Amino acid sequence: MWQQLFDSLKDCNFMIVAVAEDSRGAEQVRPWIEQAKPTYWSLIDPEHRVASLYGMVNVPRAVWIDEEGRIVRPPETAGSTDHFRRMDPQTQTMSPEDQAARHKGRSFYLDAVREWVLTGRHALAADEARSKLPRMTPEIALAHAHFRLGAWLKRHDRPEEGARHMAEASRLHPESWNMWRQAADLNEAGLAAGPAFWERVHALGDKPYHPPPDLPGFPGPSKVAR
């Protein structure tokens, strides 16, 4: 979907910068990028520096930056919805209605990006954009330091030490699904999408996993908690 958006806007001084945040490194991500064959920029960030700088706690997230380098929409959910939370746990499938609703959310978000590029609509004034930027607290800054150290230790055959630092990162910054998911992936391949993930999702209750972007009319499920 991002390639189609880029193809439709590439002559309008527009660029997509996709960043894969995977602590397992470039070789883990490269096959996915090569299979997609994107013509927009695709970067790999094993240390999650982008998440740290922009305050991103989950994926997919998007930041809109204008031609002057100013953030006009801070990090927000890039069109994903919480319809997946009603997925059948046995078959790992969603109802046709939820699939259609999820697709509607993605299309709505892409249309908003397109409208911004062509007309300037949906861009926030500087003061409003600044007020919506995630705040960096000492605890969050320390969490990112523990996370990067933990990932480094795991990559250098010191898994137990790495696990301790990653656990401390999640304790300090429990809102970060990025940190939790990467720790799970490094501990055991596939764990990040397994029972522990679903237990953590269900524990959210009525709190969203993907907070909807602040775009009037964005479609989202009315109730998702199971």
Side-chain angles (χ1 to χ4, degrees):
M1 64 178 191
W2 294 108
Q3 183 63 54
Q4 292 177 345
L5 178 69
F6 178 67
D7 287 342
S8 69
L9 296 172
K10 62 184 178 182
D11 295 328
C12 301
N13 195 27
F14 173 71
M15 175 55 68
I16 293 173
V17 182
V19 182
E21 296 181 341
D22 197 312
S23 300
R24 291 169 293 182
E27 295 310 311
Q28 180 69 28
V29 181
R30 192 186 309 279
W32 297 92
I33 297 175
E34 291 177 346
Q35 182 178 5
K37 295 181 175 62
T39 56
Y40 51 83
W41 298 344
S42 297
L43 310 178
I44 301 171
D45 181 15
E47 295 185 351
H48 288 214
R49 292 186 179 274
V50 171
S52 177
L53 289 169
Y54 288 94
M56 297 178 178
V57 297
N58 208 344
V59 292
R61 291 292 187 269
V63 180
W64 297 10
I65 302 174
D66 69 13
E67 60 272 23
E68 297 178 355
R70 185 175 70 87
I71 294 175
V72 297
R73 289 193 71 87
E76 62 187 354
T77 304
S80 292
T81 70
D82 272 16
H83 291 92
F84 81 96
R85 293 172 64 178
R86 295 199 288 243
M87 181 182 295
D88 186 307
Q90 301 301 321
T91 64
Q92 297 289 295
T93 58
M94 294 191 300
S95 70
E97 294 78 13
D98 280 345
Q99 291 184 47
R102 183 176 66 167
H103 178 74
K104 183 178 180 181
R106 290 175 176 174
S107 297
F108 187 100
Y109 190 80
L110 295 182
D111 287 343
V113 175
R114 186 176 291 105
E115 195 169 7
W116 166 57
V117 173
L118 296 176
T119 71
R121 189 183 177 197
H122 304 303
L124 302 178
D127 289 346
E128 186 177 5
R130 188 178 302 111
S131 71
K132 292 178 179 292
L133 283 169
R135 302 302 178 191
M136 176 62 74
T137 67
E139 291 78 13
I140 292 176
L142 184 57
H144 281 287
H146 276 288
F147 178 83
R148 286 195 291 271
L149 177 56
W152 186 91
L153 288 166
K154 282 179 171 290
R155 288 197 301 270
H156 290 79
D157 299 321
R158 296 163 68 178
E160 293 183 359
E161 290 179 83
R164 285 198 296 271
H165 283 282
M166 286 190 149
E168 180 64 3
S170 284
R171 186 190 71 80
L172 290 165
H173 193 13
E175 293 80 14
S176 177
W177 285 88
N178 286 338
M179 290 183 183
W180 182 89
R181 186 168 42 245
Q182 286 296 284
D185 272 340
L186 288 171
N187 284 333
E188 181 180 340
L191 181 62
F197 168 79
W198 285 105
E199 181 179 350
R200 203 166 189 264
V201 169
H202 296 329
L204 290 172
D206 291 332
K207 185 178 179 180
Y209 177 81
H210 288 304
D214 186 15
L215 291 167
F218 182 82
S222 57
K223 186 175 177 60
V224 295
R226 297 180 64 91

